[in-house]
Every structure is written in C-alpha cells, then in structure tokens.
Amino acid sequence: MSVLVYTESENGKFKKAAFEAASYAKGIADQLGTSVTAVSINAEDDASLGQYGVSKVLKVSNDKLAKFNADAYADVLTQAAKNEDAKAVVLSQTANDKYLAPVLAVNLEAGYASNIVALPESTEPFTVKRTAFTNKAFNFSSISSEVKILGISKNAYGLKENETDANVEDFSPSLDESDFSVNVESVDKATNKVTIADAEIVVSGGRGLKGPENWGMIEDLADTLGAATACSKPVSDMGWRPHSEHVGQTGKPVAANLYIAIGISGAIQHLAGINASKYKVVINNDPEAPFFKAADYGVVGDAFEVVPQLTEKLKEFKANNS
Amino acid sequence: MKILVCISHVPDTTSKINFTEGDTKFDTNGVQFVINPNDEFGLTRAMWFKEKQGASVDVVNVGEADTEPTLRKALAIGADNAIRVNTPATDGFQVAKELAKVAQDGGYDLIIAGRESIDYNGGMVPGMLAKLIKANFVNTCVSLEVEGDKATAIREIDGGKETLTANLPLVIGGQKGLVEESDLKIPNMRGIMMARKKPLNVVEPVGADAKTKAEKFAKPAPKGEVKLVDKDNLDELIDLLHNDAKAI
Ligand SMILES: Cc1cc2nc3c(=O)[nH]c(=O)nc-3n(C[C@H](O)[C@H](O)[C@H](O)COP(=O)(O)OP(=O)(O)OC[C@H]3O[C@@H](n4cnc5c(N)ncnc54)[C@H](O)[C@@H]3O)c2cc1C
Ligand SMILES: Nc1ncnc2c1ncn2[C@@H]1O[C@H](COP(=O)(O)O)[C@@H](O)[C@H]1O
C-alpha cells in the first residue's frame, strides 16, 4: 500500500504546486499509516521531493513525454499506481493535472474529488473538504471506491516541510501508440511573464480604468510586485485585454496570496472566482462598491492618482528591503 | 457531422447559495436555473457548425424532470433534439457513464461538454466520458475547427495556449473563447415556439453507480471588516501588506 503523488515539472523543474501536492500526500500517508511515492516525468532534481515527505520517486525519463499529453501521462500514472498498490493518487489542480485526472479516474475505476482544501476529516469513510459553487461554499464529499484520486487546490493546504530521504528509482512504463492520438502541434507560452495560475500576487483591473490605453499603470504595479495581471469580464469582452486574463466565476479562478482589484466593482460573479485568494486589496473611488465588503484592505480614491503613487512607494520599499 | 452537447443545469451565477436539512442539501428555494455558462459557449459553437458546415445537434442532460426547462431553452437556441436521462445526477462518474450510453447509441462525431459545471465544479465529466467511449479528448478548449474527420483545437494552459489536432470522435471540455460573449444567442419568440414542438426524449438510465457522495455543505466564515487606508497615506497600506499580511 502507498500514497502516490504526481509531481508536475516544467523544463525539468518541479512546480510549487507539485511540492504542495507532495506535502498533502505526506499528510494522507500519515493518516493511513503508509508512505509517499512520487512520479516525476523528465524532471531534474528528483531528490528535492524528499524535503516534502516523499520517500520514493519513480523517475520517468522519456523524450516521447517531452510535451504534456493527458492520455500518455495518465497511462504512466496508472501503471505506477498499480505497481505501488496506491490507495490514493494526489494531484494538483494545474491545467495539465485537471486534464489528466478524469482520464486517470476511468483507468483506475476510481472516484475523483477536485478542488480539495484540507486533509480528510476521516479516512473511514474517506471524506474530504472541497470548494463548490465556485468558492461560495464548501462541500464535504466521501469517496467510496478502493482507489481515490485527489485534486488539491493551490495555496490551500500549503507547503509542509518533512525532511525524508527520497529513494530515486528509474521507472519505464510501457506506452502505447493510442496514448498519442491527440497530437500537440504547438505551444504558445510567454516565458518571461508570471502566469495567473502560478502567481503569488495578482493585480487586476476593471472597467473603472476607462480604456486599454490606461493599462500601463497596472503593468507597472504588477512588474514592481512580480505579479501577474488580470481583469474583470467586461474588460476582456470589450477586447481591452486578452481573454486569458479574465478572472471570475466564468473565467480563470485565482487563488493567490494577494489579489489587488483596481476599478472593479466586486460583482458576485467576479468575487466567486477570486475569493480563494488569501488577502484582497480594493482600490475604487466609490466607497459603496461591493468589493469593500469582500476585501481585507481598501483605498477609496481615484485609481489614476492612487496606483502610480502606490507603485512609486512600493519601488522605494523594495529598494530599501532587498 | 453529428454533434452532442452535454448540458448541465445549474443555479444562475447571481444565486445566493444556501443549504437545508442540516446543511446536507442545496436550497433551491427561489433559485433560477440556467444552462451552465461553459455549455452555453459550446452550444453556440455547435450552432455555428450546423449553420456553416451542416450538422445535427442533440443536447443531453442527466437529471430529473425539473431540468426540462433548461433543455427546452437549448432547443429554443437551435438544437434539434433533446435527450434527458431520467435519473438524478449524483457524481461525475455516474453522469459520465450515463452519458457514455447515450453517446454510443447515437454514434456522435463530436461531443461538446463544458470545462466544469459552476455548481459542484467537478471538472471531470468530459474527460471521463471520453475515456469511457475511447474518444479523443481536449480540455479547457477555447477554439475548435473541424474538417472532414480531423479536428484542430486550441486549449488554454497555465500562461498560454496549445494547439492540438485529433481525429473524430472527439470530446471537448469547452469554455469562453469557443465563441465570443457577443455571439451567445438569447432565444427569440420563434425559437421558443419551435422548441415546444421539438422532440425531448426521456430515456431510462443504465443505473451507473456513483463513487463520491456530497455528504454536507458549509458556508465560508463571514469576512471581517475591511481596513480602510487613506489615499494620502499609502505607506500605511505597504506597512499592512508587509507586516500584517506578510504578502510583500
Ligand atoms: C453569467 C455571468 C457570468 C459572469 N462572470 C463573470 C466573471 O467570471 N468575472 C467577472 O469579472 N465578471 C463576471 N460577470 C460580470 C459581472 O456581473 C460584472 O458585470 C463585472 O464583474 C463588472 O466588471 P467591473 O467591476 O470591471 O465593472 P463595473 O461594475 O462597471 O465597475 C467599475 C468600478 O470601477 C470604479 N471606478 C470607476 N472609475 C474609477 C476610478 N477613476 N478609480 C477607481 N475606481 C473607479 C467604479 O466605482 C466601479 O465600482 C458575469 C456576469 C454574468 C451575467
Ligand atoms: N447532469 C449532467 N447532464 C449532462 N451533462 C453534464 C451533467 N453534469 C455535467 N455535465 C457536462 O460536463 C461538464 C463538466 O461538468 P462537471 O464535471 O460536473 O464539472 C458540464 O459543463 C456539462 O457539459
């Protein structure tokens, strides 16, 4: 018996989400009285997983897996889960993990719970806490299948260090041609930009900014903080910003450490998507804007005055604190 | 081309979320139900295929009779036939297995579902369905073209996009981008009248088992008061973010 965790890497380096998933897997393994085995695909520093409680790493090195492919990756994990007699398979909730998890669930005839935010309340029955209704509520779900697939939300359980000696073994699953029937033709990803999914801080602008020409100050603030930029739905609908920046109930979910909303009113559909963020700051000239009820910190004022000043002050702060 | 669009029936995005029976049931009192927004984008894309390339479009829901108005709305938007699998939807696996039967019986070339339902946010039905019927699968799909039996899809990844090709049959988990917001159709009077005459077939379930169960619900703890900072004293905000929140 074991708990398996898939630790996603990009360009050979593990993602923070992978370390969070490993931390969570260790928590489950302690509850079940077993140990954690990780599966890494084309990663470099496999032993680093030991820091988060992984005691064995199945290291897969295969050029065919250089690009993510949901069927193929799910096949690798299926074979690993069977070899290791895994009772639970832990994944993060990155775009790739969300893509492969349901495929893996069918392969293993396993129940899958997504968006999990805490360790199981009990393991008999196996009941996990997850978000539902797009962060408007929590839902406690029990999983009755023998194998359980668990998708862990970003920034909810967090990183837990647990120094362990990780034993790295080569693992060569057999791959089938049918694993590659969906073909990745090209990947278009800006490498120099922080993404909303990975960012610790997100700076987001709404219709209060009046037009796309005013986004320079949003980008300046984001650059100063090393943050990703985002926007409300009407802003992307009007084409001021790309769709990929649209956050909210029908856009991307945000679970950042800090979310800064500028010129955004705080409609229920917007808040639902960003509520999982730990701290929220609102800058809005209307003190009645609903966002003030959802935020931790607020500034009532004109964004065109407040934001440039805030950026200047932050630059000073960064210069003095680095 | 034969297209099936999977429709989940969800509370409108403005709904207040409350629970009853000791927090074990979602309180539907006063809640307006709609086509899941991700499915609405997919349905509109299906209509585009129908108009531009010739296709038949069926819609399907796994649910009890109360979901029929939502299926009628899909018919009013322009779908040709509706199918309701007569059983409550209990979890993603059960729904996917019920849909797999409908998909196999209908021999569809393209199955459009949504990235996730906005109620339980499972994000699992399309991927499970694809694997169950051994069809190709693309998730978080923001663009889809079909030529002959070959599809080209764009998928959203964290921080970018990926272009994929695959043969039909294909299942997608779709979202905004498949069509623009401004392309969404509000059913007109004629569509609504026609929808009344279109077939809505109720089929019996295969009786698939669920593997997960929603035992109870909880609402997030109420938020404390916002801490207001004077716009002429932004140093205080920086201080709060640094020392209190430890976020910068
Ligand atoms: C089905 C459905 C799904 C939806 N999904 C989403 C979603 O996923 N994400 C989303 O964001 N929305 C979503 N919406 C839309 C949502 O209801 C709101 O319409 C939207 O969030 C409003 O965007 P906004 O705050 O940018 O604009 P507005 O509501 O117009 O707010 C602009 C704000 O800027 C402030 N302002 C104006 N000038 C200044 C200034 N100089 N300085 C500072 N502040 C200023 C104003 O006081 C106001 O509060 C959805 C709606 C529906 C019906
Ligand atoms: N009960 C259902 N009936 C038909 N389709 C469904 C149902 N539940 C989910 N789906 C489809 O699967 C998608 C993802 O749902 P979920 O996995 O529940 O988040 C939805 O957008 C629908 O397209």
Side-chain angles (χ1 to χ4, degrees):
Chain A
M1 182 168 96
S2 74
V3 173
L4 197 74
V5 58
Y6 169 53
T7 45
E8 188 181 359
S9 58
E10 192 170 324
N11 302 322
K13 287 182 66 182
F14 289 114
K15 293 193 163 182
K16 182 186 165 202
F19 293 134
E20 275 189 77
S23 304
Y24 186 92
K26 173 64 177 160
I28 299 259
D30 288 345
Q31 286 184 335
L32 295 175
T34 179
S35 61
V36 180
T37 301
V39 178
S40 78
I41 299 179
N42 297 331
E44 279 152 19
D45 190 12
D46 296 287
S48 68
L49 292 171
Q51 201 178 339
Y52 300 99
V54 172
S55 48
K56 180 171 167 187
V57 183
L58 297 178
K59 179 181 176 57
V60 181
S61 313
N62 189 331
D63 286 343
K64 276 194 187 159
L65 300 172
K67 286 184 197 147
F68 174 81
N69 179 305
D71 285 319
Y73 277 46
D75 197 2
V76 169
L77 291 173
T78 303
Q79 294 174 49
K82 287 185 176 158
N83 277 4
E84 294 293 308
D85 187 24
K87 288 290 166 276
V89 183
V90 178
L91 304 161
S92 68
Q93 297 277 264
T94 60
N96 290 350
D97 283 12
K98 282 187 176 171
Y99 190 177
L100 74 81
V103 177
L104 180 64
V106 172
N107 287 351
L108 293 171
E109 267 287 308
Y112 165 41
S114 56
N115 304 323
I116 295 173
V117 294
L119 281 178
E121 280 203 317
S122 69
T123 54
E124 286 295 335
F126 198 95
T127 306
V128 288
K129 183 179 184 183
R130 56 185 300 278
T131 57
F133 298 96
T134 325
N135 295 312
K136 290 179 196 165
F138 295 107
N139 152 225
F140 294 84
S141 258
S142 62
I143 312 177
S144 53
S145 52
E146 165 120 14
V147 182
K148 285 123 184 123
I149 309 229
L150 310 169
I152 313 306
S153 286
K154 183 189 159 195
N155 275 344
Y157 184 70
L159 295 174
K160 304 257 187 306
E161 299 215 4
N162 215 314
E163 203 61 57
T164 310
D165 262 335
N167 208 343
V168 182
E169 289 177 16
D170 284 324
F171 180 58
S172 312
S174 61
L175 292 168
D176 197 271
E177 201 153 314
S178 66
D179 284 334
F180 297 94
S181 61
V182 175
N183 200 25
V184 183
E185 303 289 341
S186 63
V187 182
D188 174 12
K189 182 169 172 169
T191 44
N192 54 350
K193 260 198 99 185
V194 193
T195 68
I196 294 172
D198 293 336
E200 292 295 315
I201 306 179
V202 173
V203 177
S204 190
R207 194 146 58 180
L209 291 170
K210 315 279 191 282
E213 66 282 4
N214 297 325
W215 244 262
M217 66 182 190
I218 300 291
E219 279 171 347
D220 281 349
L221 176 58
D223 285 346
T224 307
L225 290 166
T229 51
C231 68
S232 68
K233 177 165 174 286
V235 166
S236 76
D237 287 343
M238 291 184 292
W240 295 1
R241 300 296 290 177
H243 283 318
S244 55
E245 286 198 1
H246 160 204
V247 297
Q249 187 163 14
T250 53
K252 280 205 173 65
V254 181
N257 197 29
L258 176 61
Y259 182 79
I260 305 181
I262 302 166
I264 298 177
S265 57
I268 186 165
Q269 299 98 344
H270 185 87
L271 295 176
I274 62 94
N275 248 339
S277 299
K278 199 153 174 200
Y279 291 99
K280 281 147 274 192
V281 175
V282 54
I283 300 172
N284 195 306
N285 62 4
D286 174 8
E288 301 294 320
F291 214 120
F292 285 100
K293 294 214 169 61
D296 299 279
Y297 307 111
V299 181
V300 179
D302 182 353
F304 294 92
E305 288 168 26
V306 174
V307 174
Q309 276 187 44
L310 180 63
T311 306
E312 279 319 302
K313 286 184 185 294
L314 278 166
K315 281 184 181 153
E316 270 172 48
F317 168 82
K318 291 263 167 183
N320 295 335
N321 281 273
S322 60
Chain B
M1 182 162 53
K2 279 193 82 176
I3 304 177
L4 179 68
V5 184
C6 305
I7 302 282
S8 92
H9 160 89
V10 299
D12 170 56
T13 56
T14 55
S15 305
K16 294 263 177 292
I17 304 300
N18 289 306
F19 303 101
T20 55
E21 298 180 34
D23 285 338
T24 59
K25 292 235 153 47
F26 174 58
D27 184 358
T28 56
N29 216 327
V31 170
Q32 177 100 10
F33 281 83
V34 296
I35 299 176
N36 185 39
N38 291 315
D39 305 345
E40 205 177 344
F41 289 109
L43 176 61
T44 309
R45 187 65 191 166
M47 298 325 302
W48 185 93
F49 283 120
K50 179 174 158 170
E51 280 155 29
K52 299 279 157 63
Q53 300 187 341
S56 66
V57 179
D58 291 357
V59 290
V60 62
N61 172 262
V62 177
E64 294 180 293
D66 59 334
T67 71
E68 288 191 3
T70 300
L71 284 174
R72 287 275 174 219
K73 185 172 173 210
L75 291 171
I77 289 171
D80 302 305
N81 290 292
I83 303 162
R84 181 171 69 79
V85 182
N86 188 24
T87 184
T90 49
D91 91 323
F93 222 123
Q94 173 245 0
V95 170
K97 284 190 171 163
E98 294 296 345
L99 291 173
K101 172 75 165 54
V102 173
Q104 270 156 344
D105 289 352
Y108 296 96
D109 305 296
L110 176 63
I111 301 180
I112 300 180
R115 168 190 79 181
E116 68 173 19
S117 303
I118 62 165
D119 51 1
Y120 290 85
N121 310 107
M124 60 183 81
V125 168
M128 288 176 169
L129 169 61
K131 196 72 196 177
L132 288 167
I133 63 170
K134 300 195 167 53
N136 289 321
F137 171 49
V138 174
N139 203 16
T140 53
C141 184
V142 293
S143 159
L144 180 66
E145 305 287 343
V146 178
E147 252 188 76
D149 67 351
K150 196 167 176 158
T152 304
I154 299 180
R155 147 174 112 96
E156 198 168 74
I157 56 176
D158 294 334
K161 283 175 181 168
E162 205 170 74
T163 304
L164 307 149
T165 53
N167 285 334
L168 304 181
L170 173 73
V171 180
I172 66 159
Q175 62 184 69
K176 183 171 122 175
L178 279 176
V179 298
E180 294 303 316
E181 180 81 19
S182 52
D183 296 328
L184 291 178
K185 295 197 172 104
I186 297 162
N188 56 23
M189 211 47 200
R190 187 163 163 271
I192 294 168
M193 296 303 285
M194 280 174 50
R196 290 198 190 142
K197 294 194 209 105
K198 288 181 181 172
L200 195 165
N201 301 320
V202 178
V203 301
E204 286 313 307
V206 294
D209 286 340
K211 296 184 190 299
T212 63
K213 179 164 184 274
E215 304 280 356
K216 61 180 175 155
F217 297 90
K219 301 241 284 188
K223 181 109 207 125
E225 277 279 290
V226 61
K227 174 113 191 55
L228 287 180
V229 173
D230 193 285
K231 67 178 169 42
D232 297 317
N233 189 13
L234 293 173
D235 288 319
E236 187 191 347
L237 179 61
I238 294 177
D239 183 64
L240 286 166
L241 291 176
H242 181 60
N243 293 314
D244 270 21
K246 303 202 172 11
I248 60 170

